[in-house]
Amino acid sequence: MNSIDSQQGNEKYCFVGFWPRFWASMVDTIVIVLITLPLAHLVYGEAFWGSGRVAPLESDFLISYILPLVVVILFWLYKSATPGKMVIDAKIVDVKTGANLTTKQSLIRYIAYYVSLIPLGIGFLWVAWDPKKQGWHDKVAGTVVIYVHRGT
């Protein structure tokens, strides 16, 4: 079982593998959809559900990209986890110290999601065979996802 020593004592944590992280991301996706769809409906009305483009590019960009970025980063900064990671009892920490993420790390990690996604999602799949269960976005940001409970 993979674990790291935290600078916050000699606590050992276990790395979270691919499948638990996959399911956590599904929970996060549902949460984001539950936020953005009603907001889009509120802003655009019934036309949102019809065919064709009804949203000005700026509004669509704010609701579809900026709002999720802000929500996710705030969860990382204040809870060290998104709702999905909280469901699986996991959190994201600095790989070297075990400390909570900095704002800079959070921004880098979020932007690096796109780097992980672009080549057929291989950066996310990397979690499955990496010794520390890090995706490319984790490696770029210097983060790791661990279970909250102590390992043995």
Side-chain angles (χ1 to χ4, degrees):
M1 183 174 288
N2 295 321
S3 62
I4 58 175
D5 287 326
S6 168
Q7 294 286 339
Q8 303 164 355
N10 286 329
E11 305 161 285
K12 289 190 177 186
Y13 295 105
C14 300
F15 301 124
V16 180
F18 176 80
W19 287 110
R21 288 177 68 169
F22 172 83
W23 293 116
S25 72
M26 293 296 103
V27 170
D28 293 337
T29 299
I30 291 168
V31 169
I32 291 295
V33 167
L34 289 174
I35 293 170
T36 58
L37 282 183
L39 183 59
H41 178 74
L42 182 68
V43 171
Y44 309 123
E46 293 296 325
F48 174 75
W49 303 103
S51 61
R53 185 155 187 83
V54 297
L57 188 57
E58 300 83 19
S59 299
D60 194 28
F61 183 75
L62 286 172
I63 292 171
S64 299
Y65 294 97
I66 301 301
L67 180 63
L69 177 144
V70 170
V71 169
V72 167
I73 288 177
L74 287 174
F75 267 103
W76 288 347
L77 291 174
Y78 292 101
K79 296 291 187 180
S80 297
T82 55
K85 287 192 178 49
M86 287 185 240
V87 166
I88 65 166
D89 202 27
K91 67 180 183 175
I92 307 160
V93 296
D94 181 272
V95 69
K96 292 179 184 172
T97 65
N100 293 339
L101 302 187
T102 64
T103 302
K104 180 180 176 182
Q105 276 180 305
S106 298
L107 285 167
I108 291 169
R109 188 173 195 272
Y110 193 92
I111 293 166
Y113 270 172
Y114 293 99
V115 174
S116 292
L117 179 65
I118 290 172
L120 303 174
I122 197 166
F124 292 114
L125 294 172
W126 200 263
V127 171
W129 56 80
D130 186 80
K132 291 183 181 177
K133 304 300 180 194
Q134 290 176 293
W136 290 357
H137 52 286
D138 291 309
K139 290 185 177 296
V140 169
T143 62
V144 68
V145 180
I146 59 173
Y147 284 107
V148 174
H149 64 275
R150 292 182 184 166
T152 55

